[in-house]
Amino acid sequence: MKSNRSHRVLPGFNLSLGYALVYLSLLVLIPLGGLIAKSSELSLAEFWTLATSQRSMASYRITFGTSLLAASINAFFGLIVAWVLVRYEFPGRRFFDALVDLPFALPTAVAGITLTTLYANTGWLGQFIEGQWGFKVAFTPWGIVVALTFVTLPFVVRTVQPVIEDIETEVEEAAATLGATRWQTFWRVLLPGVFPALLTGFALAFSRAIGEFGSVIFIAGNIPLVSEITPLLIIAKLEQYDLIGATVLAVVMLVISFFLLLSINLLQWWSANRHRGEARELDPGSTGTPGNNAGNAQGAAA
């Protein structure tokens, strides 16, 4: 009797896996390993002193605070933009849909200069905001939030958009027929299917914002302890030939980013599994996909 052999779709799996591991090692593992190895030359006390200096702590707060705020803003408005682009037909829809990808194609330095020109106290928007409301945007942390929001919007929209397209309009109609209000339909039927993708878009936007440099340095003003982001501080230390100081900051950013993204991914996994479990309870034949939400429609009306 011939032994059963597992047939793979792609031939040469072992060779392909080897190439993939080598490629990832050269691009990711070896550079990160070198970064950690360089920082290990310091004692724990020396590392802690450099990592927790006043200027470093201020840059962490500005970097992660503005990144979190920008990603949160895009999680809310990105969902609205994706919903409008998918659910409604209106003149110029294709143009606005293509406009979402503009931050991908536009060089970040160009985006930074453009935003600075708009929001400076002599700019088209800045002179009105600062003159009428007394609120300064450019050369403050708020300018960083504006730049990061502009750069990271496509990550949320393009992540959520395909999921919304997979949700049939009949599900909303069924929920309305069963007596559910619009808020109940959104909260109980639509959001559970979209939420895992929304978390993914939020994580992508957040991780992109943490490492953003080109669009921020022009509008931030780069004032130490006020509007200086950690990537800029790392560049400043490298220009001063402070390789150890730059390495310490890079390791801190790496560790914090890793744990934040791990937490977001765990939350996303929990949300997706919870949604599938609820779908099976409401409809034993449900697969838990966004397109099969008849049971959720019944639950919304309950």
Side-chain angles (χ1 to χ4, degrees):
M1 180 180 293
K2 296 182 178 180
S3 60
N4 294 329
R5 296 181 179 178
S6 61
H7 296 281
R8 302 186 182 277
V9 177
L10 296 177
F13 172 76
N14 294 331
L15 183 61
S16 301
L17 178 62
Y19 277 125
L21 292 177
V22 171
Y23 184 75
L24 289 176
S25 298
L26 291 175
L27 288 181
V28 180
L29 297 180
I30 294 178
L32 293 183
L35 190 68
I36 296 174
K38 183 66 177 179
S39 63
S40 63
E41 297 178 1
L42 298 173
S43 65
L44 185 60
E46 292 173 334
F47 184 94
W48 182 259
T49 300
L50 291 175
T52 58
S53 65
Q54 184 182 12
R55 189 175 178 183
S56 299
M57 295 298 293
S59 70
Y60 301 149
R61 288 192 295 269
I62 294 168
T63 300
F64 289 99
T66 54
S67 298
L68 182 61
L69 182 57
S72 301
I73 292 172
N74 279 332
F76 179 78
F77 289 102
L79 176 61
I80 297 177
V81 171
W83 185 267
V84 171
L85 292 176
V86 172
R87 290 299 196 194
Y88 300 101
E89 293 288 342
F90 54 90
R93 175 175 171 270
R94 293 184 179 273
F95 170 76
F96 287 107
D97 188 40
L99 198 63
V100 172
D101 293 327
L102 180 62
F104 283 150
L106 193 67
T108 56
V110 175
I113 294 173
T114 303
L115 292 173
T116 305
T117 304
L118 287 174
Y119 287 97
N121 55 6
T122 56
W124 291 351
L125 297 177
Q127 63 180 347
F128 174 78
I129 295 174
E130 190 170 347
Q132 298 294 326
W133 299 340
F135 187 77
K136 188 175 182 180
V137 177
F139 315 125
T140 68
W142 291 111
I144 302 176
V145 174
V146 170
L148 296 181
T149 303
F150 172 80
V151 171
T152 58
L153 175 64
F155 291 93
V156 177
V157 176
R158 293 313 184 205
T159 304
V160 175
Q161 202 169 0
V163 179
I164 297 177
E165 291 174 350
D166 289 339
I167 301 177
E168 298 93 340
T169 56
E170 289 80 1
V171 175
E172 303 169 52
E173 296 171 358
T177 302
L178 293 171
T181 63
R182 290 185 176 182
W183 175 251
Q184 288 175 327
T185 301
F186 172 77
W187 188 258
R188 299 291 300 276
V189 179
L190 303 177
L191 187 60
V194 176
F195 189 65
L198 187 62
L199 270 179
T200 301
F202 173 84
L204 291 174
F206 179 70
S207 59
R208 177 70 175 86
I210 289 175
E212 178 58 26
F213 180 77
S215 64
V216 174
I217 57 174
F218 295 101
I219 197 172
N222 309 320
I223 305 172
L225 307 179
V226 177
S227 61
E228 184 181 51
I229 59 175
T230 306
L232 179 65
L233 182 56
I234 293 174
I235 295 296
K237 287 185 176 296
L238 289 176
E239 291 177 347
Q240 298 168 3
Y241 302 99
D242 185 7
L243 183 59
I244 292 296
T247 303
V248 169
L249 293 177
V251 171
V252 172
M253 289 284 290
L254 175 65
V255 173
I256 296 177
S257 301
F258 175 78
F259 280 105
L260 286 175
L261 293 178
L262 179 62
S263 301
I264 294 173
N265 288 331
L266 289 176
L267 181 60
Q268 176 193 354
W269 173 83
W270 171 82
S271 175
N273 283 273
R274 178 173 175 269
H275 170 57
R276 284 195 291 266
E278 291 178 349
R280 293 191 189 99
E281 291 177 2
L282 294 170
D283 183 5
S286 173
T287 58
T289 58
N292 194 359
N293 285 317
N296 287 22
Q298 297 175 2

